[in-house]
Amino acid sequence: SQQGEEDPQALSIQEGENATMNCSYKTSINNLQWYRQNSGRGLVHLILIRSNEREKHSGRLRVTLDTSKKSSSLLITASRAADTASYFCATDGGGSYIPTFGRGTSLIVHP
Amino acid sequence: DAGVIQSPRHEVTEMGQEVTLRCKPISGHNSLFWYRQTMMRGLELLIYFNNNVPIDDSGMPEDRFSAKMPNASFSTLKIQPSEPRDSAVYFCASSWDRVQPQHFGDGTRLSIL
């Protein structure tokens, strides 16, 4: 299965701290995406990183990709209570360009 | 711009009844996806349409599930007959193509009693 697996399953931090979530996958990929899901809402796309890229930034978000280790990380710097959500990675590869989603990391940021 | 619109937002019905979920994708998007999300199984892809044509329906759990996309601005997911194990949140998403980031609706929370 191409499905990525996020780690940890749950993360609880204080406002202002950094939050790091990881995604591991099993086979080679074309792209890896990170999404956020607030409670009761649909997923919202955050960043797409291609297999030939190593790092991407968007505001307070930093995504890295290590294809040799088949893993990616999402770093949220200076977290805010509004960052409380579930974060999912989605990978496509193995001949399919349709992304497969992991089970997600539940992040709680305490004010 | 309006995002992906799903209706209804909530549906409660008794087992054996027919359930129809509706989705209006973002105008101009060529790809449409139906997902099911549960605590046990996470987010599962049910079916993927490209240019209104079903391309991959390998995720559709069984014959009780069917999906249609009669035109570029409307899709339905139907469950007939419904069973309690179908209870989940069903999401519709659309994108410019299968590789591009997907835009999700806010889902339909389905409860089958």
Side-chain angles (χ1 to χ4, degrees), chain B residues 5-7 20-25 32-34 47-49 52 66-78 92-93:
Chain B
I5 300 173
Q6 290 187 246
S7 64
T20 300
L21 310 181
R22 296 173 176 80
C23 174
K24 177 179 171 57
L32 184 137
F33 307 80
W34 281 101
I47 188 168
Y48 157 61
F49 290 86
N52 313 338
S66 62
K68 295 183 179 179
M69 192 165 186
N71 57 63
S73 60
F74 184 66
S75 177
T76 60
L77 178 67
K78 188 172 294 187
C92 174

Short mmCIF file of all heavy atoms in Angstrom, two decimals, chain B residues 5-7 20-25 32-34 47-49 52 66-78 92-93:
data_model
loop_
_atom_site.label_atom_id
_atom_site.label_comp_id
_atom_site.label_asym_id
_atom_site.label_seq_id
_atom_site.Cartn_x
_atom_site.Cartn_y
_atom_site.Cartn_z
N ILE B 5 -19.40 22.12 -2.76
CA ILE B 5 -20.62 22.17 -1.96
C ILE B 5 -21.24 20.77 -1.87
O ILE B 5 -21.50 20.14 -2.90
CB ILE B 5 -21.64 23.15 -2.58
CG1 ILE B 5 -21.03 24.56 -2.63
CG2 ILE B 5 -22.94 23.18 -1.76
CD1 ILE B 5 -21.86 25.56 -3.37
N GLN B 6 -21.45 20.34 -0.65
CA GLN B 6 -22.07 19.03 -0.43
C GLN B 6 -23.40 19.20 0.29
O GLN B 6 -23.57 20.09 1.12
CB GLN B 6 -21.17 18.14 0.44
CG GLN B 6 -19.90 17.69 -0.28
CD GLN B 6 -19.13 16.68 0.55
OE1 GLN B 6 -18.03 16.95 1.01
NE2 GLN B 6 -19.71 15.49 0.71
N SER B 7 -24.33 18.32 -0.06
CA SER B 7 -25.60 18.31 0.66
C SER B 7 -26.13 16.89 0.75
O SER B 7 -25.83 16.05 -0.12
CB SER B 7 -26.63 19.20 -0.07
OG SER B 7 -26.91 18.69 -1.36
N THR B 20 -29.00 9.35 -0.70
CA THR B 20 -28.34 10.03 -1.82
C THR B 20 -27.60 11.24 -1.32
O THR B 20 -28.18 12.14 -0.72
CB THR B 20 -29.36 10.45 -2.90
OG1 THR B 20 -30.03 9.30 -3.40
CG2 THR B 20 -28.64 11.14 -4.06
N LEU B 21 -26.30 11.23 -1.58
CA LEU B 21 -25.45 12.35 -1.21
C LEU B 21 -25.11 13.12 -2.48
O LEU B 21 -24.86 12.52 -3.53
CB LEU B 21 -24.17 11.85 -0.53
CG LEU B 21 -24.38 10.84 0.62
CD1 LEU B 21 -23.03 10.45 1.20
CD2 LEU B 21 -25.32 11.38 1.66
N ARG B 22 -25.02 14.45 -2.35
CA ARG B 22 -24.83 15.29 -3.53
C ARG B 22 -23.59 16.14 -3.41
O ARG B 22 -23.19 16.53 -2.30
CB ARG B 22 -26.06 16.16 -3.72
CG ARG B 22 -27.32 15.37 -4.01
CD ARG B 22 -28.56 16.24 -4.03
NE ARG B 22 -29.73 15.46 -4.40
CZ ARG B 22 -30.41 14.67 -3.58
NH1 ARG B 22 -30.04 14.56 -2.31
NH2 ARG B 22 -31.47 14.01 -4.02
N CYS B 23 -23.00 16.45 -4.56
CA CYS B 23 -21.77 17.24 -4.58
C CYS B 23 -21.75 18.14 -5.81
O CYS B 23 -22.02 17.70 -6.93
CB CYS B 23 -20.56 16.31 -4.60
SG CYS B 23 -18.97 17.18 -4.78
N LYS B 24 -21.39 19.39 -5.55
CA LYS B 24 -21.14 20.33 -6.65
C LYS B 24 -19.67 20.72 -6.59
O LYS B 24 -19.24 21.38 -5.64
CB LYS B 24 -22.01 21.58 -6.50
CG LYS B 24 -21.76 22.64 -7.57
CD LYS B 24 -22.69 23.82 -7.37
CE LYS B 24 -22.30 24.99 -8.27
NZ LYS B 24 -22.29 24.60 -9.70
N PRO B 25 -18.89 20.30 -7.56
CA PRO B 25 -17.45 20.61 -7.52
C PRO B 25 -17.19 22.06 -7.90
O PRO B 25 -18.10 22.78 -8.33
CB PRO B 25 -16.87 19.65 -8.57
CG PRO B 25 -17.98 19.46 -9.55
CD PRO B 25 -19.25 19.49 -8.72
N LEU B 32 -12.95 14.61 -9.81
CA LEU B 32 -13.83 14.60 -8.64
C LEU B 32 -13.63 13.29 -7.89
O LEU B 32 -13.52 12.22 -8.50
CB LEU B 32 -15.30 14.74 -9.06
CG LEU B 32 -16.31 14.83 -7.91
CD1 LEU B 32 -17.35 15.90 -8.18
CD2 LEU B 32 -16.95 13.50 -7.61
N PHE B 33 -13.57 13.40 -6.58
CA PHE B 33 -13.30 12.25 -5.71
C PHE B 33 -14.39 12.16 -4.64
O PHE B 33 -14.82 13.17 -4.10
CB PHE B 33 -11.95 12.42 -4.98
CG PHE B 33 -10.78 12.71 -5.88
CD1 PHE B 33 -10.55 14.00 -6.35
CD2 PHE B 33 -9.89 11.71 -6.24
CE1 PHE B 33 -9.47 14.29 -7.15
CE2 PHE B 33 -8.78 11.98 -7.04
CZ PHE B 33 -8.58 13.27 -7.50
N TRP B 34 -14.79 10.94 -4.33
CA TRP B 34 -15.65 10.67 -3.17
C TRP B 34 -14.84 9.86 -2.16
O TRP B 34 -14.20 8.86 -2.52
CB TRP B 34 -16.89 9.87 -3.57
CG TRP B 34 -18.00 10.67 -4.19
CD1 TRP B 34 -18.30 10.76 -5.52
CD2 TRP B 34 -18.97 11.46 -3.50
NE1 TRP B 34 -19.39 11.57 -5.71
CE2 TRP B 34 -19.83 12.01 -4.48
CE3 TRP B 34 -19.21 11.75 -2.16
CZ2 TRP B 34 -20.91 12.83 -4.16
CZ3 TRP B 34 -20.28 12.58 -1.85
CH2 TRP B 34 -21.11 13.11 -2.84
N ILE B 47 -14.34 6.51 -5.04
CA ILE B 47 -14.38 6.55 -6.50
C ILE B 47 -13.78 7.87 -6.98
O ILE B 47 -13.82 8.88 -6.28
CB ILE B 47 -15.83 6.39 -7.02
CG1 ILE B 47 -15.87 6.24 -8.55
CG2 ILE B 47 -16.71 7.54 -6.55
CD1 ILE B 47 -17.25 5.80 -9.07
N TYR B 48 -13.20 7.80 -8.18
CA TYR B 48 -12.56 8.97 -8.79
C TYR B 48 -13.11 9.12 -10.20
O TYR B 48 -13.13 8.18 -10.98
CB TYR B 48 -11.04 8.76 -8.80
CG TYR B 48 -10.28 9.55 -9.83
CD1 TYR B 48 -10.30 10.94 -9.85
CD2 TYR B 48 -9.52 8.90 -10.80
CE1 TYR B 48 -9.60 11.65 -10.79
CE2 TYR B 48 -8.81 9.60 -11.76
CZ TYR B 48 -8.85 10.98 -11.76
OH TYR B 48 -8.16 11.69 -12.70
N PHE B 49 -13.56 10.35 -10.51
CA PHE B 49 -14.04 10.69 -11.85
C PHE B 49 -13.06 11.65 -12.51
O PHE B 49 -12.51 12.55 -11.85
CB PHE B 49 -15.39 11.42 -11.78
CG PHE B 49 -16.56 10.58 -11.37
CD1 PHE B 49 -16.87 10.40 -10.02
CD2 PHE B 49 -17.37 9.97 -12.32
CE1 PHE B 49 -17.96 9.64 -9.63
CE2 PHE B 49 -18.46 9.22 -11.94
CZ PHE B 49 -18.76 9.05 -10.60
N ASN B 52 -15.98 13.69 -15.88
CA ASN B 52 -17.30 13.08 -15.67
C ASN B 52 -17.31 11.56 -15.87
O ASN B 52 -18.38 10.94 -15.75
CB ASN B 52 -18.37 13.70 -16.59
CG ASN B 52 -18.33 15.20 -16.61
OD1 ASN B 52 -17.83 15.83 -15.70
ND2 ASN B 52 -18.85 15.78 -17.68
N SER B 66 -23.31 3.27 -5.34
CA SER B 66 -23.16 3.66 -6.74
C SER B 66 -22.93 5.16 -6.80
O SER B 66 -23.38 5.90 -5.93
CB SER B 66 -24.39 3.27 -7.56
OG SER B 66 -25.54 3.94 -7.08
N ALA B 67 -22.21 5.60 -7.82
CA ALA B 67 -21.92 7.03 -7.98
C ALA B 67 -22.10 7.40 -9.43
O ALA B 67 -21.81 6.61 -10.33
CB ALA B 67 -20.51 7.36 -7.52
N LYS B 68 -22.57 8.62 -9.62
CA LYS B 68 -22.77 9.13 -10.98
C LYS B 68 -22.26 10.56 -11.07
O LYS B 68 -22.21 11.29 -10.07
CB LYS B 68 -24.25 9.09 -11.35
CG LYS B 68 -24.85 7.70 -11.44
CD LYS B 68 -26.30 7.75 -11.88
CE LYS B 68 -26.90 6.37 -12.00
NZ LYS B 68 -28.32 6.39 -12.41
N MET B 69 -21.92 10.94 -12.28
CA MET B 69 -21.55 12.33 -12.54
C MET B 69 -22.15 12.69 -13.89
O MET B 69 -21.47 12.58 -14.92
CB MET B 69 -20.03 12.52 -12.51
CG MET B 69 -19.65 13.97 -12.49
SD MET B 69 -17.93 14.19 -12.02
CE MET B 69 -17.87 15.99 -11.90
N PRO B 70 -23.40 13.08 -13.91
CA PRO B 70 -24.10 13.34 -15.17
C PRO B 70 -23.56 14.54 -15.93
O PRO B 70 -23.71 14.61 -17.16
CB PRO B 70 -25.54 13.55 -14.73
CG PRO B 70 -25.45 13.97 -13.30
CD PRO B 70 -24.26 13.25 -12.74
N ASN B 71 -22.94 15.47 -15.24
CA ASN B 71 -22.32 16.62 -15.89
C ASN B 71 -21.19 17.16 -15.02
O ASN B 71 -20.97 16.68 -13.91
CB ASN B 71 -23.37 17.71 -16.18
CG ASN B 71 -24.09 18.16 -14.93
OD1 ASN B 71 -23.47 18.70 -14.01
ND2 ASN B 71 -25.41 17.94 -14.89
N ALA B 72 -20.50 18.14 -15.51
CA ALA B 72 -19.29 18.63 -14.84
C ALA B 72 -19.58 19.35 -13.52
O ALA B 72 -18.66 19.63 -12.76
CB ALA B 72 -18.53 19.57 -15.78
N SER B 73 -20.83 19.66 -13.25
CA SER B 73 -21.13 20.45 -12.06
C SER B 73 -21.94 19.69 -11.01
O SER B 73 -22.44 20.28 -10.05
CB SER B 73 -21.90 21.71 -12.46
OG SER B 73 -23.11 21.39 -13.10
N PHE B 74 -22.05 18.36 -11.16
CA PHE B 74 -22.89 17.64 -10.21
C PHE B 74 -22.51 16.17 -10.16
O PHE B 74 -22.28 15.52 -11.18
CB PHE B 74 -24.37 17.78 -10.62
CG PHE B 74 -25.34 17.16 -9.67
CD1 PHE B 74 -25.49 17.66 -8.40
CD2 PHE B 74 -26.12 16.08 -10.06
CE1 PHE B 74 -26.40 17.10 -7.52
CE2 PHE B 74 -27.04 15.51 -9.19
CZ PHE B 74 -27.18 16.02 -7.91
N SER B 75 -22.46 15.65 -8.93
CA SER B 75 -22.22 14.22 -8.75
C SER B 75 -23.07 13.73 -7.58
O SER B 75 -23.36 14.49 -6.65
CB SER B 75 -20.75 13.96 -8.47
OG SER B 75 -20.51 12.57 -8.22
N THR B 76 -23.43 12.47 -7.63
CA THR B 76 -24.17 11.86 -6.54
C THR B 76 -23.51 10.56 -6.11
O THR B 76 -22.89 9.87 -6.93
CB THR B 76 -25.64 11.55 -6.93
OG1 THR B 76 -25.64 10.65 -8.04
CG2 THR B 76 -26.39 12.82 -7.26
N LEU B 77 -23.64 10.25 -4.84
CA LEU B 77 -23.24 8.96 -4.28
C LEU B 77 -24.48 8.39 -3.63
O LEU B 77 -25.08 9.03 -2.77
CB LEU B 77 -22.12 9.13 -3.25
CG LEU B 77 -21.65 7.86 -2.55
CD1 LEU B 77 -20.94 6.93 -3.53
CD2 LEU B 77 -20.70 8.20 -1.39
N LYS B 78 -24.85 7.19 -4.06
CA LYS B 78 -26.09 6.58 -3.58
C LYS B 78 -25.79 5.28 -2.85
O LYS B 78 -24.92 4.50 -3.29
CB LYS B 78 -27.02 6.35 -4.77
CG LYS B 78 -28.42 5.89 -4.38
CD LYS B 78 -29.33 5.88 -5.61
CE LYS B 78 -29.58 7.26 -6.15
NZ LYS B 78 -30.60 7.28 -7.24
N CYS B 92 -16.67 14.87 -0.58
CA CYS B 92 -16.44 15.04 -2.00
C CYS B 92 -15.30 16.05 -2.14
O CYS B 92 -15.19 17.01 -1.36
CB CYS B 92 -17.72 15.58 -2.66
SG CYS B 92 -17.56 16.00 -4.40
N ALA B 93 -14.43 15.82 -3.10
CA ALA B 93 -13.32 16.73 -3.37
C ALA B 93 -13.16 16.88 -4.87
O ALA B 93 -13.48 15.98 -5.64
CB ALA B 93 -12.03 16.20 -2.74
#
